[in-house]
């Protein structure tokens, strides 16, 4: 005879309640993992990135921020200052202050950087931001670029968002209108990249070497103008800003991006691609700076397009999402290291097939990759590309080969491919804390459950 065990009714309800509490309170393993990664990443963000850069990098003597830093964050030799780097420092300090308002030195740093942009980098006679000045702020070149002025707008808009300093917004508006008058192409759309001091677009001379990018339109200035207009529109929802933001978004999505899912790097003023595909391999490699697949720019642009579309308030156009996914998928398919992780720097579609032509892994591409992969994992959690698994591998790569756990900061390139990067400087005129701050802070927020496209300010 089988014995039957009956739990007394008086004990049954508490038992079920305890069982429910235990099962309901047991953390989901994936969510638990995400929170652990978020904690580790934010610790690195604060202690190994931001705390190393700021406020140490503030140039108390001449204004702005130092450009050159050694491997252990000592001032380097060449301290010329470029509008791109200076504005990125303003942006990073402004965003860091919004994130960590208890650390008042971020606000102080943003204000300090703003004053250098206003007093030294802005051309008070002819308008626009100088591209390059010396340490004291004296112009070293008279030329200007749409790319540099875009970052001026980007940093100033973030500065206003963080501090509500009207003077910062007014200077951002002046820079926008200066680009509108001089750099914007009313006939073919988009913006001319290279400008003379008075804003006259540079026409490509016949005598210039074929490897020069002078006189071309390009993807890099276009995507960062998109980024700047996205930031500006959030604090100044002007109809013309909205028009230019939409114009850039659709130019990038429909014209500058190849249907395969990668950006054309340089284009003629009427948007014809600069390509050397039909040339010999020797010629192709000699001109690789003008014509190759840049996986870092592709994954970065996937995020920037989705961010721009959200800020525009467009919710019913599937083309942008489809193209953003295509760009990330393309980079994963042919530009991704499946063994240790990381996006390669350059590839090329030769006539006999695609090949990686530079298998190094620069720092900024990996930072943007973290952001893009995690966003794709939110949008397409069941996709065959397994974006979240790729994100985890990329974070492991960054943690192992890019972050300097001894001296802080990130190496310029992954040590698996470039071990010689270890003793090199942590900061230079093209390297600040902007890409990795954005990649890490956005990733931390997404890992903790935030959907970036639901939280963007309008």
């Amino acid at each position: 005879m089988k014995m039957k065990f009956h739990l007394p009714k008086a004990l049954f309800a508490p038992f079920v309640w305890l069982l429910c509490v235990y099962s309901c309170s047991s953390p989901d393993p994936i969510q638990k993992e995400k929170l652990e990664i978020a904690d580790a990443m934010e610790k690195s963000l604060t202690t190994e990135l931001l705390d190393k850069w700021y406020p140490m990098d503030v140039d108390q003597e001449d204004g702005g921020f130092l450009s050159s830093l050694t491997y252990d964050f000592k001032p380097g030799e060449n301290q010329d200052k470029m509008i791109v780097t200076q504005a990125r420092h303003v942006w990073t300090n402004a965003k860091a202050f919004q994130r960590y308002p208890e650390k008042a030195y971020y606000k102080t740093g943003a204000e300090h950087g703003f004053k250098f942009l206003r007093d030294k980098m802005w051309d008070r006679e002819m308008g626009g931001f100088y591209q390059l000045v010396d340490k004291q702020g004296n112009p070293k070149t008279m030329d200007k670029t749409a790319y540099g002025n875009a970052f001026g707008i980007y940093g100033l808009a973030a500065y206003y968002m963080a501090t509500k300093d009207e003077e910062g917004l007014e200077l951002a508006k002046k820079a926008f209108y200066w680009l509108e008058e001089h750099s914007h192409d009313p006939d073919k759309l988009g913006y001319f990249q290279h400008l003379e001091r008075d804003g006259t677009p540079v026409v490509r001379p016949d005598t210039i070497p074929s490897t020069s990018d002078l006189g071309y339109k390009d993807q890099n200035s276009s995507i960062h103008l998109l980024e700047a207009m996205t930031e500006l529109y959030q604090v100044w929802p002007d109809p013309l800003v909205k028009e230019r933001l939409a114009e850039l978004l659709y130019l990038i999505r429909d014209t500058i991006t190849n249907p395969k899912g990668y950006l054309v790097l340089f284009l003629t003023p009427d948007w014809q691609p600069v390509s050397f595909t039909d040339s010999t391999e020797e010629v192709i490699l000699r001109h690789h700076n003008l014509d190759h697949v840049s996986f870092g720019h592709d994954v970065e642009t996937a995020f920037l397009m989705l961010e721009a579309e959200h800020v525009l308030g467009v919710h019913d156009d599937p083309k942008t999402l489809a193209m953003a996914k295509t760009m990330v998928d393309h980079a994963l398919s042919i530009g991704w290291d499946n063994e240790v992780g990381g996006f390669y720097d350059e590839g090329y579609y030769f006539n006999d097939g695609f090949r990686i032509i530079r298998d190094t892994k620069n720092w900024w591409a990996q930072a943007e990759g973290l952001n893009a992969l995690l966003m794709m994992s939110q949008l397409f959690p069941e996709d065959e590309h397994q974006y979240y698994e790729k994100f985890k591998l990329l974070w492991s790569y960054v943690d192992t080969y890019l972050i300097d756990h001894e001296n802080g900061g990130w190496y310029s390139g992954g040590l698996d491919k470039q071990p010689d990067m270890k003793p090199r400087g942590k900061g230079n005129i093209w390297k600040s804390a902007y890409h990795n701050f954005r990649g890490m802070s956005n990733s931390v927020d997404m890992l903790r459950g935030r959907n970036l496209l639901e939280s963007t300010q309008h």
Side-chain angles (χ1 to χ4, degrees), residues 38 41-43 45-46 50 92-103 106 162 437-448 450 452:
M41 191 178 287
E42 185 150 45
K43 181 180 179 181
L45 170 64
T46 55
L50 290 176
T92 305
N93 275 269
K95 294 298 183 181
F97 175 64
Q98 288 185 284
R99 189 176 186 88
Y100 306 110
E102 71 279 6
K103 297 182 178 181
Y106 291 133
F437 173 82
R438 178 169 68 191
M440 295 175 82
S441 61
N442 281 359
S443 293
V444 168
D445 290 345
M446 285 188 281
L447 288 165
R448 290 177 177 160
R450 176 187 169 195
L452 298 182

Side-chain angles (χ1 to χ4, degrees), residues 49-50 53-54 88-89 91-92 363 431-438:
L49 185 71
L50 290 176
W53 279 92
Y54 310 113
R88 286 174 172 180
H89 282 302
W91 181 90
T92 305
W363 65 283
K431 185 174 184 289
S432 62
Y434 140 78
H435 284 288
N436 31 9
F437 173 82
R438 178 169 68 191

